[in-house]
Amino acid sequence: MANFKDYALQYVLTDEQAKMKSVVSKAAADIEESRASSPVLGLWVQSIQTWIDPRSRADDLVDDKEEAESMGNILARSKAIDFLASTLEVLDESTLRPDQVKMLAGFFGSLFNADHRAGITPATKALRRLICMKSFKPSLGPEIIDNLTKLGEEFRRQAPLTRLEVYILLKDLVEDEAVNSELQFKNGATSGFITDLLQMCGNERDPKNLMMWFDILTSFLRDYSPSPEASHEVFKTFSSYFPISLRASATPTGITAEDLKITLRMCFSAHYRISEHVFPYLIQKLDQGDAITVSVKVDILQTLEDCLAKYTHVEKSIAPSAERIWNSLKYEVRNGEVEESIQGTLKALRTLAARLDGDSLKTFTQLVLRDCLEDLTNPTYTSPCGKLLGGVYTASPAAFAIVVQTLIPHVKMCLRQSKSAAHKHDLVGILNSVLSARMQHVTQEDNRAEYGVDQIELTSPVVTSVFEDVYLALWKENITGTDATSLKANVLKQVVKGLALIVEQEKVGGQILPWTLLCTETTCSKVSQLLSQIILESPLAAFSEEKQFEIEDEAVKSLQKIATAYAAGFVSLVASAKAKFKETNDPHTLELLTSRLAFIGCSKPPRRVGDFHNFTCLVGALLGEIHDALHNGSRQVGAILVAAIHCAILAFHGSLPSEESSGALLHLGAGWADEVAASYPSLPQVDLGQLGDWQIAGTTPGNWSDNRAELSKISLFVVRQLYRRVTVVSDREKALALDSDISANSEFLSYLAAMTTFVVRELSAESQQALSLYQETVCLFRGDDEISGTLVKDHFQTKGYRIGGRFDLLGLLQGILQGLWPTSLSEMCGNGMGLSLAKQLLESGPGSEIPQQKSANSIVCILANKYNRKAEDWPALVAVFTDKVSSIITNTDSSNLGSQLRLLQTCVAFAAGALLNYDKQVSQLVGKLVEIPSHPTIGLYAAREFSHILSPREALTPANHAASKLLGKQWAYTQLAKPMFEKAAPFSKEVPEGHNYAVATMDILKHLPFALYEDDGDSVVRIALPALSTLGVGPDVEAALNILLQFVEHKPDVLKQRLNAVIKGSLDLVNEAKGGKKETREDDVSGVATKVNPPVYRKLALILIACLPLKFEERHLLSHAPKLQRTLAFSCGDPVREVRQAALRARVSWSSIN
Amino acid sequence: MADIQNANPTILNASQLPTRHLKQVAVRFGPEAKYSRLVFNRNGPWSENMSGDSSEDSDTDELACEPIDEQEIYDLISPISDPEHPVSLGQLSVVNLPDIHIEPPPSSGMSDPNKLVQVIVDVTPTINHCSLATVIGLGVRVRLEQALPPNYRVHVRMKDGTHAQDDQVSKQLADKERVCAALENETLKATLNKMLETCA
């Protein structure tokens, strides 16, 4: 037989959780073992007899002097009861029989009455467990609640945590469906138990407990059927907490004021039964006016809205209070100034109108119209009145139909009578809002079946009448005239906005294809024509420049909306714009016009899947214009038009849903270009000289699931024909060459290549491989043409690749290559093509042709980054560059240093690409590069090239699918920078080698994160500090300053012993780097200008000085203060304002050092 | 401090104060610029320098030579806090841009650091019997002397007709010895430090 007394004693005496757990587990196991036989259970209960014996409890009544001892007894008793509760917690749910559960519930329930000091928490814990037992009978629920309510006044004296336990037990009971039935059966509608609970818990103040208490009240109102009196009592209890707030507490509970507000709000909106009390109560609170704060007002409005949204039986609950709610709320908007409360009011009104229907809605809308229509004639109240009306007619189609039928004629009348532009602006704003609301009601899928949508059809005549009567009239009135005020411009902006809205309107039902628009084609065409005038003919000269821009921007946005709804409008706009292209000589005007066309036609997703009409129309028209421009020799115009196509592609790409953002996957065969040409007859083929008719609509909208893939297909088709248009096959050179009417280095090629990169990189790797785009890199989309009777692609495969002419086409080649995925490039690797290309660029590159050389370096960089490392010829490729660097090192001939340096730049570009890919195979090349700064003739220039090795490059961005490894930079640091530390320090101008290494080191480190070199702080600082005074004024010293700033900011201890040098170096620099202008210093060797910007160095030096007092103690700086303060005072008169500001900050920072 | 002398001064909104930014023409971007800026950007991928890295020249272009002008003096003194109200002298219109004069004028070009430049600031008290006018004037003078190079001479005066004793106050502020003596006074120094706390 188990010795429960021992268990109980052990439990009471120990404070270790583990031991307590073990004891109760044993006790529970013993009970389970005996299958809960009554004797065992009796022994278990009796085990705590020692502590709950009335004789021992007499100690509770002892005098003060024995209070401590008595408190010990209470704690022991509490723990003893807790032994029983904890045993129940680990006891299997099915162990106890119903009679045993009943007996235990009675025992623990009695403790609420018998032992207020020690028994409540453990008894509650035990009861919470008992109600989960399988044998628990719901009929015990009312009994437990009865026992609980016997606590009465004692309840409020309990600790908050004890009360919380009781609330949790109550909540579990009240929310239990079976207990719910028992309680209702026993108490009936009077719900007597709730009256007792209200008395017991009505004074709760603890936030956590309040959350529970409110939940209990919400459940009671929602799940029970109390009498009106009981409901009212409950309402009185929770409403006394409203509006609720939370005082800041030293011991936060984790409950916020917002949590409390939301939970209390749920009580208000729990059931419509209390609506007769809720609405008058909330309105009375709201009508206190300035006596309540904004946050309280917002809380009231949100509670009101919540009630309006959740109450069922609208006719009984909401309709009777609708008038009273309106009469109170209307002033919040009509006379309100705080945006938050205005928005809250409008939301509540919208919900109110949305809930009403039938006669109650009619009565309500009549009431709203009666109050608002009068206000429309008063300019002061027009705008708030519009908001109020908007709150109602946006609520539901039925409300819209009733309000708008009266509202529009009244607004028209007001407009006729109004003399003020501001008033007209507000009135047109109301009409615009009506049109937006109509659009929303008609197009929303949920609304199509709703009652009231058909009634909107009845308002169609009155809606369409606003075009002639309002918009057109106001357009004519405001577009011309001498008194072009800012107010008139604002009216015009509203008119422009409204014109788009009227064209966008659809017929109710929207099933009558092809014409679903509400307005006639004549109206749509007229609107389109009017708005096109603004961006094509500049009729706004009378307005200020700022207003002109505003109206034009509004017109662009309106035309964008129209282009989606009424495609013919966009076609007519493009046709008018085409005429304008020919007249315009100013490139900026052309840029603006074409980019606007791209935005208007392509920046909104098509309404139907696969509707590319606007895009193909615009691109077709632009291609035709490019053809003409190149034919006429207007290369700059052609370039802008290419850029405009790029804008259109970007805009369309940006408009497509983000779920289609994965790389476009194309399924194209060999003749894909012919397929696209057949699908889109509106697209010209400028490479073949076929212009076609750009106005023809494309394929009938199909079921393409991937718009992005279709866009990529068309874009690639455009790129292909433009590439073919500007290149020719040169039989003489056995290579490709630039067409004679295109000049090398032109913007045209630049823009075309940029567009190509974008188009190519948007394709998935699989698509790029399927299209053999690697091949197009060298064939430039002319692979199927012939050189001396052989296909170009075959010719390059068999006879080897040859870059034609004067490397003019490198930009175009880079355009494709830059957007390729590394896997797409793999076919170019291993077959000699990539190796051949790199060799040609290195050995017979473009030389002094700078743009081509830039492209050559980028191509080499991309190859190094994306080349297949497993390809057979990769080691050979690396060897080519390693050998080249070796030859530069050994070549001390000073006659051709320029070309030597250019070769080195190409090798550096190769290393940059490979290092980012963390390719250890280039370690030999990197090792050779480390030797370069010691070169006797080009050492210094070569050292400066190291600033480009880790600098950000467009070709190596993630967007262009560059292969980037996390450890790439770290490896570059250990391979490149660290070996130079020893060679660079100490250095002086007299030892050029050390000087060069210092330059190289600084130039490498400036592009690395501080975390990489902070552990080598001593070595780095040993180079950076002398650099301040030795490297001279130039970009090298800027790098040193930036590195020192990093140390001052993140690791100042490194500089503590070297403050003399820091301050001296910075001061010398401030004094040396005089001169305000940015200069360029022509390098003798490279022919490239180096930017020298002394003010930047002065500013950085002063920032460094300003940081010192913030990072170092005064004693370290004191000796430098007088001299520094003098220099800083002079620097406050520096010719450059930003330097003066830095000097002033440093002066303030050092002013405390004295 | 004694009772507030002007309990209800006119306070300008921060946006109403003259700033250098207002004088600069804002670059205009319409809705279409979202895409055209990416394409028509002359600093795009094809304008990289010889070695292929993107140019980083944008912020350095702003570092042009500009002499110290009236606006710069105004920017130095307008954030000084009023000793009575928790607002700046600029917001109270105690210091005003048209009341700042520099001789020789900045329009004549960059000044020689070895030649003297006179800065004259006329202060307008909020009421004509303001007893704190001297403290305000002193604050302006101290701020400018701390912020301007040594060849700048600062003269702070009461604007004619704005103070019942404008001559006397201006004379006090021009007297170097009295200014030095005033700065020895710990109470006054604490007041000045408080006023200058709001200067960045």
Side-chain angles (χ1 to χ4, degrees):
Chain A
M1 182 76 63
N3 192 347
F4 289 111
K5 276 191 179 173
D6 271 2
Y7 291 151
L9 188 62
Q10 284 175 36
Y11 189 89
V12 170
L13 290 180
T14 188
D15 285 331
E16 289 171 35
Q17 287 295 325
K19 193 170 180 191
M20 286 157 77
K21 208 173 168 183
S22 132
V23 169
V24 293
S25 301
K26 281 183 201 163
D30 287 349
I31 295 170
E32 281 167 14
E33 222 170 77
S34 71
R35 295 185 184 173
S37 72
S38 292
V40 171
L41 209 64
L43 283 174
W44 171 65
V45 175
Q46 279 175 7
S47 67
I48 61 164
Q49 186 68 30
T50 323
W51 292 279
I52 60 167
D53 191 322
R55 276 166 299 174
S56 71
R57 290 184 51 205
D59 293 348
D60 292 4
L61 309 171
V62 292
D63 295 335
D64 286 353
K65 58 184 177 182
E66 292 175 25
E67 193 177 338
E69 197 186 336
S70 132
M71 186 55 73
N73 287 338
I74 292 169
L75 290 175
R77 192 163 74 242
S78 175
K79 219 163 168 191
I81 304 169
D82 192 52
F83 165 69
L84 298 184
S86 302
T87 310
L88 282 176
E89 278 197 333
V90 290
L91 198 66
D92 189 78
E93 285 174 6
S94 54
T95 308
L96 297 179
R97 292 194 303 272
D99 60 314
Q100 291 168 335
V101 172
K102 188 175 179 184
M103 183 270 285
L104 287 171
F107 167 69
F108 288 113
S110 68
L111 290 175
F112 291 115
N113 193 25
D115 192 357
H116 298 147
R117 301 186 74 178
I120 295 177
T121 310
T124 313
K125 188 174 160 188
L127 285 168
R128 278 176 58 198
R129 180 63 187 156
L130 281 176
I131 62 173
C132 301
M133 293 287 174
K134 284 192 176 163
S135 318
F136 178 78
K137 298 280 182 209
S139 57
L140 288 174
E143 279 177 36
I144 294 173
I145 292 180
D146 274 352
N147 284 327
L148 271 173
T149 50
K150 282 179 189 158
L151 268 171
E153 288 296 304
E154 273 302 322
F155 181 71
R156 71 178 65 170
R157 293 195 197 107
Q158 299 298 318
L161 273 175
T162 308
R163 297 205 302 273
L164 182 63
E165 291 287 329
V166 175
Y167 281 119
I168 296 172
L169 173 63
L170 272 173
K171 189 168 178 261
D172 289 347
L173 286 168
V174 172
E175 287 183 353
D176 187 282
E177 273 183 38
V179 177
N180 175 337
S181 311
E182 284 293 327
L183 280 167
Q184 299 213 55
F185 175 71
K186 195 181 164 200
N187 294 283
T190 54
S191 304
F193 78 95
I194 199 73
T195 319
D196 296 337
L197 284 180
L198 292 175
Q199 274 180 359
M200 185 175 91
C201 312
N203 295 307
E204 186 57 63
R205 287 286 177 274
D206 182 79
K208 258 189 180 171
N209 295 350
L210 273 178
M211 297 282 285
M212 281 289 161
W213 178 226
F214 291 153
D215 278 347
I216 293 166
L217 294 180
T218 305
S219 302
F220 174 74
L221 287 171
R222 192 185 53 218
D223 304 331
Y224 290 69
S225 310
S227 63
E229 292 76 24
S231 304
H232 192 203
E233 285 304 312
V234 173
F235 168 75
K236 278 201 285 190
T237 303
F238 69 73
S239 64
S240 65
Y241 289 97
F242 189 81
I244 199 162
S245 58
L246 186 64
R247 269 201 304 269
S249 162
T251 51
T253 53
I255 306 284
T256 63
E258 198 54 33
D259 295 336
L260 283 170
K261 282 180 187 175
I262 291 169
T263 318
L264 179 56
R265 199 171 293 154
M266 283 162 72
C267 289
F268 277 92
S269 61
H271 201 275
Y272 81 94
R273 200 178 294 117
I274 51 168
S275 65
E276 57 179 317
H277 310 298
V278 169
F279 290 128
Y281 176 82
L282 291 175
I283 289 165
Q284 180 246 326
K285 286 268 175 198
L286 200 61
D287 287 345
Q288 291 173 52
D290 294 340
I292 50 174
T293 62
V294 173
S295 72
V296 168
K297 193 176 274 188
V298 170
D299 187 18
I300 299 171
L301 289 164
Q302 284 177 343
T303 308
L304 182 63
E305 199 271 335
D306 201 37
C307 295
L308 289 169
K310 289 184 182 162
Y311 284 163
T312 51
H313 298 78
V314 175
E315 286 304 317
K316 271 165 93 177
S317 59
I318 298 176
S321 304
E323 183 173 351
R324 203 168 162 200
I325 294 172
W326 163 254
N327 284 333
S328 174
L329 290 190
K330 67 182 177 188
Y331 294 108
E332 290 299 325
V333 178
R334 190 176 184 269
N335 306 88
E337 287 170 353
V338 183
E339 193 55 30
E340 269 179 302
S341 55
I342 291 176
Q343 289 308 324
T345 311
L346 290 174
K347 195 175 175 201
L349 273 179
R350 197 170 296 123
T351 311
L352 172 60
R355 295 302 309 278
L356 297 173
D357 57 11
D359 288 340
S360 54
L361 177 64
K362 269 185 196 157
T363 315
F364 177 68
T365 46
Q366 292 306 330
L367 176 69
V368 172
L369 285 168
R370 194 184 63 211
D371 284 347
C372 289
L373 292 186
E374 200 176 318
D375 275 352
L376 282 181
T377 51
N378 184 340
T380 315
Y381 295 115
T382 309
S383 177
C385 176
K387 286 180 188 167
L388 278 170
L389 286 162
V392 177
Y393 61 66
T394 53
S396 68
F400 178 88
I402 301 172
V403 173
V404 165
Q405 199 74 37
T406 316
L407 176 63
I408 289 182
H410 194 80
V411 170
K412 286 203 273 189
M413 186 200 74
C414 292
L415 274 167
R416 278 196 299 274
Q417 292 171 354
S418 173
K419 300 278 179 237
S420 120
H423 190 204
K424 284 180 185 171
H425 170 267
D426 291 344
L427 288 167
V428 180
I430 292 175
L431 285 181
N432 287 353
S433 160
V434 167
L435 292 172
S436 297
R438 186 189 179 280
M439 186 76 184
Q440 212 168 1
H441 288 314
V442 172
T443 53
Q444 253 179 13
E445 275 302 317
D446 302 346
N447 281 350
R448 287 194 190 275
E450 200 187 314
Y451 165 80
V453 176
D454 293 341
Q455 290 179 34
I456 291 183
E457 185 59 28
L458 299 175
T459 65
S460 295
V462 76
V463 169
T464 46
S465 71
V466 294
F467 170 64
E468 290 279 348
D469 299 349
V470 178
Y471 291 108
L472 198 56
L474 284 172
W475 172 277
K476 286 174 185 163
E477 185 185 318
N478 291 284
I479 195 85
T480 51
T482 48
D483 58 337
T485 59
S486 155
L487 287 172
K488 276 183 109 175
N490 290 342
V491 177
L492 200 55
K493 265 168 67 183
Q494 286 286 25
V495 170
V496 167
K497 208 184 279 182
L499 283 170
L501 286 166
I502 194 124
V503 172
E504 274 190 305
Q505 296 303 315
E506 285 186 16
K507 284 181 182 162
V508 175
Q511 306 297 335
I512 318 149
L513 285 169
W515 195 255
T516 62
L517 297 181
L518 180 68
C519 296
T520 60
E521 181 155 15
T522 322
T523 307
C524 295
S525 167
K526 176 78 181 167
V527 170
S528 182
Q529 198 188 345
L530 289 176
L531 294 178
S532 301
Q533 270 180 31
I534 293 184
I535 63 165
L536 293 173
E537 294 167 24
S538 311
L540 307 168
F543 292 99
S544 69
E545 198 177 22
E546 190 190 349
K547 288 292 164 192
Q548 276 184 45
F549 286 141
E550 283 178 20
I551 299 169
E552 282 175 18
D553 289 347
E554 202 58 64
V556 169
K557 285 187 227 162
S558 292
L559 281 165
Q560 181 211 31
K561 287 180 187 163
I562 292 173
T564 318
Y566 174 61
F570 183 64
V571 173
S572 123
L573 171 66
V574 174
S576 313
K578 267 172 74 78
K580 192 85 180 164
F581 293 159
K582 303 234 167 21
E583 299 163 15
T584 309
N585 294 320
D586 177 26
H588 294 292
T589 313
L590 198 58
E591 268 181 33
L592 183 64
L593 180 57
T594 51
S595 51
R596 278 176 172 172
L597 287 176
F599 178 81
I600 291 167
C602 310
S603 62
K604 272 189 103 179
R607 279 192 177 184
R608 289 180 294 258
V609 176
D611 182 2
F612 284 75
H613 177 260
N614 287 350
F615 177 69
T616 49
C617 265
L618 178 63
V619 171
L622 290 171
L623 280 172
E625 290 300 312
I626 290 170
H627 179 267
D628 292 350
L630 292 182
H631 193 256
N632 301 331
S634 316
R635 291 188 199 109
Q636 195 182 15
V637 173
I640 293 170
L641 297 173
V642 168
I645 295 180
H646 190 180
C647 277
I649 294 172
L650 278 178
F652 204 6
H653 188 270
S655 75
L656 294 175
S658 54
E659 58 263 32
E660 291 184 19
S661 62
S662 58
L665 182 62
L666 298 186
H667 303 284
L668 296 172
W672 66 271
D674 296 332
E675 284 173 29
V676 179
S679 299
Y680 299 97
S682 61
L683 286 177
Q685 296 188 67
V686 290
D687 54 329
L688 305 176
Q690 294 171 7
L691 292 187
D693 183 358
W694 60 271
Q695 299 189 41
I696 298 175
T699 7
T700 323
N703 293 319
W704 301 311
S705 56
D706 192 350
N707 279 313
R708 210 171 283 274
E710 196 61 23
L711 171 65
S712 288
K713 192 162 78 172
I714 302 171
S715 308
L716 198 61
F717 177 70
V718 171
V719 163
R720 178 182 178 275
Q721 61 175 286
L722 285 174
Y723 262 58
R724 290 170 60 80
R725 170 65 185 81
V726 297
T727 53
V728 288
V729 175
S730 166
D731 271 335
R732 189 173 54 83
E733 287 190 59
K734 307 282 186 221
L736 299 172
L738 205 59
D739 193 56
S740 55
D741 54 5
I742 301 289
S743 68
N745 312 336
S746 70
E747 273 189 323
F748 187 97
L749 294 182
S750 213
Y751 281 134
L752 177 56
M755 175 165 74
T756 307
T757 297
F758 179 79
V759 171
V760 171
R761 78 182 182 201
E762 287 308 308
L763 295 168
S764 63
E766 293 78 13
S767 303
Q768 287 183 354
Q769 280 168 298
L771 289 163
S772 303
L773 277 183
Y774 76 93
Q775 207 170 52
E776 306 299 358
T777 306
V778 289
C779 298
L780 304 178
F781 296 104
R782 283 198 171 273
D784 293 330
D785 289 14
E786 291 183 354
I787 295 180
S788 311
T790 320
L791 290 180
V792 171
K793 57 187 177 193
D794 296 338
H795 178 82
F796 286 155
Q797 286 280 359
T798 51
K799 307 269 168 135
Y801 176 60
R802 192 158 169 270
I803 304 170
R806 305 175 310 280
F807 294 87
D808 296 338
L809 299 175
L810 286 184
L812 294 181
L813 199 144
Q814 185 195 348
I816 304 173
L817 193 66
Q818 193 157 291
L820 290 182
W821 290 87
T823 45
S824 310
L825 207 73
S826 59
E827 301 218 20
M828 201 171 167
C829 315
N831 59 5
M833 191 89 84
L835 182 63
S836 158
L837 175 62
K839 268 185 177 174
Q840 288 180 64
L841 292 173
L842 190 62
E843 284 161 11
S844 55
S848 56
E849 291 292 333
I850 287 173
Q852 284 91 326
Q853 183 63 48
K854 273 165 51 181
S855 289
N857 291 349
S858 295
I859 290 167
V860 164
C861 180
I862 297 163
L863 282 177
N865 182 258
K866 297 180 181 173
Y867 213 84
N868 183 0
R869 265 45 185 176
K870 290 175 184 162
E872 279 176 21
D873 54 359
W874 171 242
L877 190 58
V878 177
V880 167
F881 286 89
T882 313
D883 293 347
K884 185 54 73 181
V885 177
S886 300
S887 74
I888 295 170
I889 292 169
T890 50
N891 186 354
T892 50
D893 179 11
S894 56
S895 61
N896 195 14
L897 296 182
S899 67
Q900 295 267 69
L901 195 60
R902 278 191 289 278
L903 283 174
L904 179 67
Q905 283 166 351
T906 311
C907 295
V908 163
F910 185 84
L915 282 173
L916 189 68
N917 201 359
Y918 189 29
D919 184 357
K920 291 187 175 175
Q921 294 183 65
V922 294
S923 55
Q924 208 183 345
L925 168 66
V926 172
K928 288 286 172 197
L929 281 173
V930 171
E931 293 174 30
I932 278 277
S934 60
H935 196 281
T937 48
I938 60 161
L940 179 61
Y941 305 104
R944 289 190 176 131
E945 285 307 314
F946 281 87
S947 73
H948 306 303
I949 209 159
L950 294 173
S951 60
R953 290 166 184 261
E954 175 66 21
L956 296 181
T957 54
N960 285 327
H961 315 307
S964 174
K965 303 273 170 64
L966 277 176
L967 291 175
K969 281 199 168 179
Q970 204 163 344
W971 191 67
Y973 171 68
T974 51
Q975 295 295 308
L976 264 180
K978 278 189 109 168
M980 293 189 188
F981 287 165
E982 277 186 25
K983 299 179 179 190
F987 75 87
S988 69
K989 271 187 175 171
E990 288 71 40
V991 187
E993 199 179 308
H995 179 266
N996 296 351
Y997 274 111
V999 170
T1001 313
M1002 294 296 105
D1003 282 343
I1004 293 170
L1005 293 187
K1006 74 178 178 185
H1007 293 298
L1008 287 173
F1010 179 71
L1012 277 185
Y1013 58 84
E1014 69 173 323
D1015 290 342
D1016 295 317
D1018 280 324
S1019 309
V1020 175
V1021 165
R1022 256 205 307 276
I1023 303 166
L1025 276 177
L1028 286 188
S1029 42
T1030 325
L1031 293 186
V1033 179
D1036 309 325
V1037 88
E1038 185 184 347
L1041 277 168
N1042 276 319
I1043 289 163
L1044 285 172
L1045 262 171
Q1046 292 281 340
F1047 277 105
V1048 172
E1049 195 137 319
H1050 304 295
K1051 214 173 179 182
D1053 284 351
V1054 176
L1055 295 170
K1056 196 183 263 178
Q1057 302 304 322
R1058 301 178 172 99
L1059 278 175
N1060 269 343
V1062 174
I1063 293 170
K1064 187 179 175 306
S1066 306
L1067 277 181
D1068 289 350
L1069 199 66
V1070 170
N1071 291 325
E1072 261 180 54
K1074 293 285 182 199
K1077 285 186 182 169
K1078 194 164 69 176
E1079 297 162 9
T1080 50
R1081 189 172 59 196
E1082 189 94 354
D1083 278 345
D1084 303 337
V1085 177
S1086 62
V1088 178
T1090 309
K1091 285 171 187 159
V1092 181
N1093 205 346
V1096 174
Y1097 317 139
R1098 290 204 300 277
K1099 184 180 154 189
L1100 280 172
L1102 287 166
I1103 292 173
L1104 183 63
I1105 291 170
C1107 288
L1108 298 178
L1110 307 175
K1111 298 287 179 182
F1112 298 98
E1113 291 171 34
E1114 191 174 332
R1115 63 195 167 95
H1116 297 298
L1117 306 170
L1118 202 56
S1119 58
H1120 306 283
K1123 193 179 173 193
L1124 247 171
Q1125 283 162 351
R1126 233 180 354 265
T1127 308
L1128 292 177
F1130 281 107
S1131 290
C1132 282
D1134 195 278
V1136 177
R1137 181 168 293 124
E1138 278 198 34
V1139 180
R1140 288 199 291 271
Q1141 285 167 352
L1144 182 56
R1145 277 194 286 275
R1147 209 173 164 185
V1148 171
S1149 164
W1150 277 81
S1151 62
S1152 57
I1153 311 287
N1154 54 43
Chain B
M1 187 107 2
D3 288 345
I4 290 178
Q5 296 183 22
N6 183 6
N8 193 19
T10 309
I11 299 170
L12 296 180
N13 191 308
S15 61
Q16 293 172 294
L17 302 181
T19 66
R20 199 174 295 284
H21 300 296
L22 288 179
K23 293 170 192 168
Q24 291 166 356
V25 182
V27 183
R28 186 197 151 269
F29 292 115
E32 72 286 346
K34 186 179 171 189
Y35 304 107
S36 61
R37 281 175 72 189
L38 297 174
V39 175
F40 290 106
N41 180 7
R42 297 287 185 272
N43 292 324
W46 266 256
S47 64
E48 289 174 340
N49 66 25
M50 183 70 169
S51 298
D53 52 349
S54 309
S55 94
E56 302 161 358
D57 205 25
S58 53
D59 65 332
T60 54
D61 282 344
E62 292 166 17
L63 301 182
C65 285
E66 291 161 304
I68 296 174
D69 59 5
E70 290 84 355
Q71 178 68 51
E72 193 163 334
I73 302 289
Y74 180 83
D75 290 342
L76 287 171
I77 57 177
S78 69
I80 299 173
S81 295
D82 182 81
E84 270 190 344
H85 303 285
V87 282
S88 68
L89 297 185
Q91 284 175 292
L92 287 171
S93 299
V94 171
V95 291
N96 297 292
L97 188 58
D99 297 334
I100 297 170
H101 309 281
I102 299 176
E103 192 58 45
S107 52
S108 59
M110 295 302 298
S111 63
D112 182 346
N114 297 317
K115 283 190 180 168
L116 291 182
V117 179
Q118 313 288 336
V119 176
I120 302 153
V121 180
D122 290 336
V123 175
T124 310
T126 53
I127 45 168
N128 72 348
H129 54 276
C130 179
S131 66
L132 292 170
T134 327
V135 179
I136 293 173
L138 198 59
V140 172
R141 183 174 170 145
V142 169
R143 169 67 176 156
L144 290 180
E145 281 178 350
Q146 284 176 355
L148 291 174
N151 62 321
Y152 275 62
R153 295 289 176 267
V154 179
H155 304 277
V156 181
R157 308 181 305 202
M158 289 298 112
K159 196 172 175 181
D160 281 347
T162 58
H163 196 271
Q165 296 169 318
D166 48 16
D167 281 350
Q168 285 181 35
V169 177
S170 299
K171 203 181 261 180
Q172 280 182 31
L173 290 170
D175 188 333
K176 272 187 194 170
E177 285 183 7
R178 292 185 74 168
V179 169
C180 280
L183 293 177
E184 298 287 315
N185 181 327
E186 287 300 323
T187 317
L188 194 56
K189 216 171 153 190
T191 310
L192 288 175
N193 285 341
K194 186 94 187 141
M195 287 167 67
L196 298 182
E197 259 177 13
T198 45
C199 298

